[in-house]
Structures are given as structure tokens and as C-alpha cells.
């Protein structure tokens, strides 16, 4: 494929003014493959197929997606695809965004006819383009020959195939394909197209080809066709990450994961990974309806998910529907140990931890807040000190001021009370002096009275 803009390789050799001009020209050329959409988009869209990025100017994830989105526009345009690539500021045209069910940023949708298909995979160029090509094409792709079947089989790790003519099963198959085309491809073929090693119990039939073999849908054992396809659209063993766990939540399966370090080549890590792989392959008939198997590199994501600190290597079984998880009470040393652990989960003898109850939600809020603070300080200590130190400083000053005012008020009250007490004491002392003076006067009066009485008595005596 020709390079979209060979001038990019000449940029380092240009003088600074020309370098800036050429760089701006390259960005302009890249953006030219992505159309800016406005409120006239809905009326002018007609029957075109559009891959649209609904973004917000302030969104960090949207800014990170922008160069990838320009690459998507370049490659889709150069490949001759009928899909048109655009972007819309969902904050400026919120009514249109709401009409298409946009609730977060960025949101990627493929608009085809009256349908809007959400993209929920990794935000990489190849994954987005593969999604656009799959959804933009026919729901059911016919395979006219065995050579075509072999070619498609090699390209796709998971392949759903309808075999037979018109039937109610085919109608149901088309209905399911219109819903799940965002995840996987759907094909149809006649019985003559199939290789000799494929034998079907009856026609019509739906089969899935994966993991080096195939499995036929049985309505009585597998239940609803949509649920069966949703469960079987993954390989039996996966390299699990956050996106995969999110999608596995729709299957209703428990996810048995070996938490290991891919860079660690010790026997303990490789053995546990091999144990999970063997159980996924050899015990498929026993566990595939209830369990999905895989491994995860590192324990950072799983620790944040479980709000726990798991020591690797270890095994954890997740229930993505209610956020519960199961841990073995002893080390998994062999396939027999893992099979016994899984059987104990099925019969209810292993206690479930976590969940989505009220206390767990409170714990999640505290854990997320703590993780946010720690991540801010870890990535930028100065920013962390400013964000959290400044409010704490202001609060401390306010508390100090309040406490200081109360203290001064208490001191003034004490001084006032002391002063009043002193005044009362002085008043009381004054009263005592007056009383003493009165007592002296009374004593003098009494003495004069006594002298008068004595004088009268003397006269009588004479």
C-alpha cells in the first residue's frame, strides 16, 4: 500500500520555518480524510455508511484517539471502502448525539441505514478498521466453494457457519447476526462446501469452528441460539485483559484466570499457565457452558478489580455479572487440583468473596479515592502537594482561627468574671468596715447608757 504522505520523512531535513509549514500541511492532509460533521449531518447522510467518532473537546481520551482516527480515515479512504469517516463535537451538537445514544466520550459508532452499531473494542487502528469492514459488509457472507471456506477458516480464529437452505433456523441465524455482527463474522454455505472431516448430525445446522475443531449447535442442550453464539464467540483459552473481561461479562460465564508474569520463565509460572490450558482443552465438555479459561499478565489490573493484593502466580475465578470472585485455599499444582477447585465452586463448597453489595460499594469508593490520590502523588508529587496540600492548609487555618477565637473568648470571660468577683469582694469589704463603724457607734451608745444608769443609781443611793 502506498504511504499516505511521503513528505513526513523529509521533515527533519527541512529548515525550521519550512519544517513547521510542512508539518502543518501533513496534519491538514491527514485530517482531510476525516470529515467534521455538524447539525446538517442527519439530513445529508442519506444511504451512506458512516464511521463516526463522537467526542468532547476537553476529553483527554478523545485527544489521544485523534491521531489514530486520522490514520483510520486515511486507510479506509485509500482501500476503496464505501465507509465514510467523520467526527462530531457531541457537546456542540448534543441533540444529534443524544439521538444516536451517545452517553460518554469518545463514542465510536458505525451508522448503516437505520441502525447504529457501537464499537467497544480496543482503540487501535487495526481493530477499528476491522470492525468497520465487518459491520459495513453483508450480515451473512456466503462461501461458494471449499477453497473459499479454507481461506476464511485460516483468517478467522472463530467462525460461525450456517449450513442448509431456507428454514426457521436460518431466519433466527440472520436475526442473531444483526445483533452480534459487532463481535464476529457470520457465514453460510451448502453441505458440499464443507471438508470431509466435518460431519453434521442433521440439516439445517449451525456450527462454530475454533480451537482447531468445530462444535454443532444443539437447541435442546445449548438453549437459545443467540445465547449460544454469544458464549461461543470466544476461543476456549484467552489472553485476558480489561477489554476482554468487559466483553466476557455478556456471556454469563465464570472466568478462570491464571495470574502470571509473562516475562517470568520460571517453572512455577509456566506450569500454572499449562494447567489452565490443559483444563480448557481436555475438560471442554464438562466446563465450557459455565467457564471461560485464560491467563492475565501481571496482577495490577486484577488487584484493582478485586481491591486485594494477590501474590502471583495464582488462580482466581471471576463472576463478572456480580463482581464476586473465588480463590483456592491451597496452591494449584496440577490439572486435578484445578478440576477439583472448579467442581467445588459448582457445588457451592467454595465461599465467594467480593460482590456488589452496599458495603462493597463503600469499600470501592474508598479504594478508588485512595488509588487516585496515590497515583497523582506517584506521577507528579508537586501537583499532588498543590491539589491536596492547599485545601488541607486552608482548612487547617480555618480550624485554627475558629479555635483561637474560642480561646480568646474564654480568656475574656474569665477576666470579666474575675473582675466581677473582685468588685464583689471589694464591696463586701466596704460593707464590713461600715458594719464595724456602726458596731463601734453602738458600743459607744451602750456605754453612755450605762454611765447614765449608773448616775441615776448613785443619786437614789444618796
Amino acid at each position: 500500500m502506498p504511504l499516505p504522505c511521503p513528505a513526513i520523512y523529509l521533515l527533519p531535513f527541512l529548515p525550521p520555518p519550512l519544517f513547521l509549514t510542512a508539518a502543518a500541511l501533513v496534519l491538514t492532509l491527514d485530517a482531510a480524510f476525516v470529515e467534521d460533521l455538524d447539525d446538517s449531518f442527519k439530513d445529508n447522510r442519506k444511504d451512506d455508511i458512516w464511521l463516526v467518532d463522537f467526542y468532547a473537546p476537553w476529553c483527554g481520551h478523545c485527544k489521544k484517539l485523534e491521531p489514530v482516527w486520522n490514520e483510520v480515515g486515511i486507510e479506509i479512504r485509500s482501500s476503496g471502502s464505501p465507509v465514510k469517516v467523520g467526527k462530531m463535537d457531541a457537546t456542540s451538537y448534543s441533540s444529534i448525539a443524544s439521538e444516536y445514544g451517545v452517553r460518554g466520550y469518545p463514542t465510536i459508532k458505525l451508522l448503516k441505514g437505520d441502525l447504529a452499531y457501537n464499537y467497544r473494542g480496543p482503540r487501535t487502528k487495526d481493530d477499528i478498521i476491522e470492525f468497520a469492514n465487518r459491520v459495513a459488509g453483508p450480515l451473512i457472507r456466503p462461501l461458494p466453494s471449499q477453497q473459499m471456506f479454507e481461506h476464511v477458516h485460516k483468517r478467522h480464529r472463530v467462525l460461525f457457519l450456517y449450513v442448509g437452505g431456507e428454514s426457521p433456523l436460518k431466519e433466527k441465524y440472520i436475526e442473531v447476526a444483526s445483533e452480534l455482527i459487532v463481535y464476529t463474522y457470520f457465514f453460510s454455505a451448502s453441505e458440499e462446501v464443507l471438508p470431509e472431516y466435518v460431519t453434521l448430525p442433521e440439516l439445517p445446522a449451525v456450527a462454530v469452528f475454533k480451537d482447531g475443531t468445530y462444535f454443532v449447535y444443539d437447541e435442546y442442550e445449548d438453549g437459545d441460539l443467540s445465547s449460544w453464539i454469544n458464549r461461543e464467540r470466544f476461543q476456549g483459552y484467552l489472553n485476558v485483559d480489561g477489554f476482554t473481561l468487559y466483553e466476557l461479562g455478556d456471556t454469563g460465564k465464570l472466568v478462570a484466570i491464571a495470574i502470571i508474569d509473562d516475562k517470568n520463565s520460571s517453572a512455577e509460572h509456566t506450569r500454572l499457565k499449562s494447567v489452565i490450558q490443559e483444563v480448557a482443552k481436555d475438560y471442554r465438555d464438562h466446563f465450557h457452558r459455565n467457564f471461560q479459561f485464560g491467563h492475565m499478565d501481571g496482577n495490577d489490573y486484577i488487584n484493582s478489580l478485586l481491591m486485594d493484593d494477590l501474590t502471583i502466580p495464582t488462580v482466581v475465578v471471576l463472576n463478572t455479572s456480580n463482581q464476586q470472585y473465588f480463590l483456592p485455599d491451597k496452591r494449584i499444582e496440577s490439572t486435578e487440583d484445578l478440576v477439583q477447585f472448579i467442581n467445588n465452586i459448582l457445588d457451592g463448597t467454595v465461599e465467594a468473596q467480593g460482590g456488589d453489595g452496599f458495603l462493597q460499594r463503600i469499600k470501592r469508593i474508598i479504594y478508588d479515592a485512595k488509588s487516585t490520590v496515590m497515583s497523582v502523588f506517584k506521577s507528579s508529587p508537586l501537583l499532588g502537594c498543590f491539589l491536596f496540600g492547599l485545601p488541607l492548609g486552608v482548612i487547617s487555618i480555618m480550624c485554627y482561627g475558629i479555635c483561637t477565637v474560642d480561646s480568646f473568648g474564654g480568656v475574656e470571660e474569665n477576666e470579666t468574671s474575675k473582675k466581677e468577683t473582685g468588685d464583689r469582694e471589694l464591696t463586701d469589704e466596704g460593707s464590713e468596715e461600715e458594719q464595724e463603724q456602726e458596731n463601734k457607734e453602738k458600743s459607744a451608745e451602750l456605754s453612755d447608757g450605762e454611765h447614765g444608769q449608773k448616775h441615776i443609781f448613785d443619786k437614789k443611793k444618796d
Side-chain angles (χ1 to χ4, degrees):
M1 189 183 89
L3 293 173
C5 188
I8 192 71
Y9 300 102
L10 301 176
L11 293 182
F13 305 102
L14 295 175
L18 294 178
F19 175 85
L20 296 176
T21 304
L25 178 61
V26 169
L27 294 176
T28 303
L29 290 174
D30 286 352
F33 293 95
V34 177
E35 297 189 31
D36 282 308
L37 307 177
D38 53 25
D39 52 3
S40 64
F41 166 70
K42 184 180 176 182
D43 297 329
N44 298 333
R45 184 168 72 90
K46 299 180 181 179
D47 296 328
D48 294 332
I49 301 174
W50 280 88
L51 183 66
V52 181
D53 168 29
F54 294 91
Y55 69 96
W58 45 260
C59 171
H61 295 291
C62 301
K63 295 177 182 177
K64 187 177 179 180
L65 177 63
E66 186 174 2
V68 176
W69 198 250
N70 289 333
E71 293 177 6
V72 169
I74 292 171
E75 187 156 331
I76 287 182
R77 178 74 66 86
S78 61
S79 67
S81 171
V83 178
K84 295 183 177 181
V85 181
K87 61 180 181 179
M88 176 179 287
D89 183 351
T91 61
S92 298
Y93 307 105
S94 56
S95 60
I96 298 179
S98 296
E99 190 171 341
Y100 285 116
V102 176
R103 295 182 177 84
Y105 311 113
T107 294
I108 299 174
K109 287 179 176 286
L110 188 134
L111 309 177
K112 180 182 177 183
D114 296 330
L115 300 176
Y117 296 91
N118 286 330
Y119 176 70
R120 301 197 299 179
R123 297 187 186 117
T124 63
K125 181 191 72 172
D126 293 338
D127 288 307
I128 294 173
I129 290 175
E130 198 272 341
F131 162 81
N133 291 333
R134 180 174 67 248
V135 179
L139 282 178
I140 311 297
R141 290 168 165 83
L143 301 177
S145 65
Q146 187 169 334
Q147 291 78 10
M148 182 63 72
F149 172 83
E150 295 292 349
H151 172 73
V152 170
H153 192 197
K154 290 178 181 178
R155 287 189 57 191
H156 299 282
R157 297 175 181 175
V158 180
L159 183 153
F160 289 97
L161 181 67
Y162 173 83
V163 182
E166 299 297 327
S167 68
L169 180 61
K170 185 175 183 179
E171 294 178 2
K172 182 65 176 178
Y173 184 72
I174 295 173
E175 179 183 340
V176 173
S178 65
E179 176 186 355
L180 300 180
I181 189 66
V182 294
Y183 300 119
T184 188
Y185 286 91
F186 293 87
F187 298 91
S188 65
S190 62
E191 189 176 13
E192 293 77 17
V193 169
L194 300 179
E196 294 181 358
Y197 67 85
V198 179
T199 57
L200 301 176
E202 61 180 1
L203 292 178
V206 176
V208 57
F209 294 81
K210 64 177 184 177
D211 301 329
T213 184
Y214 67 96
F215 307 96
V216 181
Y217 166 70
D218 187 327
E219 183 178 1
Y220 297 101
E221 293 186 3
D222 299 318
D224 182 62
L225 178 62
S226 177
S227 300
W228 179 78
I229 291 178
N230 199 31
R231 291 195 306 268
E232 296 292 342
R233 61 188 176 90
F234 297 97
Q235 293 177 276
Y237 183 87
L238 298 171
N239 186 352
V240 181
D241 57 15
F243 277 110
T244 308
L245 275 180
Y246 178 75
E247 291 188 352
L248 286 171
D250 295 333
T251 66
K253 290 184 177 183
L254 300 178
V255 187
I257 311 174
I259 311 299
I260 62 174
D261 183 358
D262 278 338
K263 298 178 182 178
N264 191 328
S265 58
S266 65
E268 194 175 9
H269 287 256
T270 56
R271 175 188 50 79
L272 193 58
K273 182 178 178 180
S274 299
V275 167
I276 291 278
Q277 289 175 328
E278 290 175 11
V279 172
K281 180 180 179 182
D282 299 338
Y283 291 84
R284 173 188 159 80
D285 293 340
H286 295 83
F287 300 135
H288 82 278
R289 287 187 176 86
N290 299 308
F291 286 87
Q292 174 67 51
F293 297 91
H295 79 274
M296 179 177 286
D297 181 21
N299 61 348
D300 292 339
Y301 182 84
I302 203 71
N303 284 346
S304 65
L305 186 67
L306 306 184
M307 297 179 290
D308 202 348
D309 189 12
L310 299 183
T311 303
I312 58 175
T314 188
V315 172
V316 60
V317 176
L318 302 175
N319 186 340
T320 55
S321 62
N322 61 9
Q323 300 180 21
Q324 289 184 340
Y325 62 96
F326 304 86
L327 296 174
D329 56 0
K330 63 178 183 179
R331 292 180 61 182
I332 302 297
E333 300 284 351
S334 63
T335 57
E336 290 75 16
D337 291 341
L338 183 57
V339 169
Q340 182 62 44
F341 175 51
I342 292 175
N343 284 327
N344 290 341
I345 293 175
L346 291 175
D347 60 28
T349 56
V350 179
E351 182 181 359
Q353 303 181 48
D356 54 0
F358 177 75
L359 293 179
Q360 284 297 124
R361 294 179 184 178
I362 298 297
K363 183 179 178 182
R364 168 61 64 184
I365 293 173
I366 297 173
Y367 181 87
D368 289 343
K370 179 181 175 182
S371 300
T372 301
V373 172
M374 294 299 293
S375 63
V376 169
F377 274 100
K378 187 175 180 180
S379 60
S380 179
L382 293 178
L383 179 62
C385 292
F386 177 77
L387 290 178
F388 300 102
L390 182 62
L392 290 176
V394 173
I395 293 173
S396 300
I397 293 173
M398 293 175 62
C399 293
Y400 176 77
I402 294 173
C403 296
T404 304
V405 169
D406 291 342
S407 300
F408 287 158
V411 171
E412 290 177 358
E413 290 177 359
N414 289 335
E415 291 180 351
T416 304
S417 61
K418 286 182 180 179
K419 184 176 181 181
E420 292 176 354
T421 304
D423 292 341
R424 283 197 299 269
E425 289 176 353
L426 292 173
T427 303
D428 293 342
E429 289 177 357
S431 300
E432 289 177 357
E433 291 178 355
E434 291 176 356
Q435 290 177 358
E436 187 176 350
Q437 182 68 27
E438 290 177 358
N439 291 335
K440 288 182 179 180
E441 293 176 354
K442 288 180 179 179
S443 297
E445 292 176 356
L446 288 173
S447 298
D448 293 340
E450 289 177 353
H451 286 296
Q453 289 179 357
K454 185 176 180 181
H455 179 71
I456 294 172
F457 180 75
D458 289 338
K459 282 184 175 182
K460 288 182 176 181
K461 188 175 178 180
D462 293 335

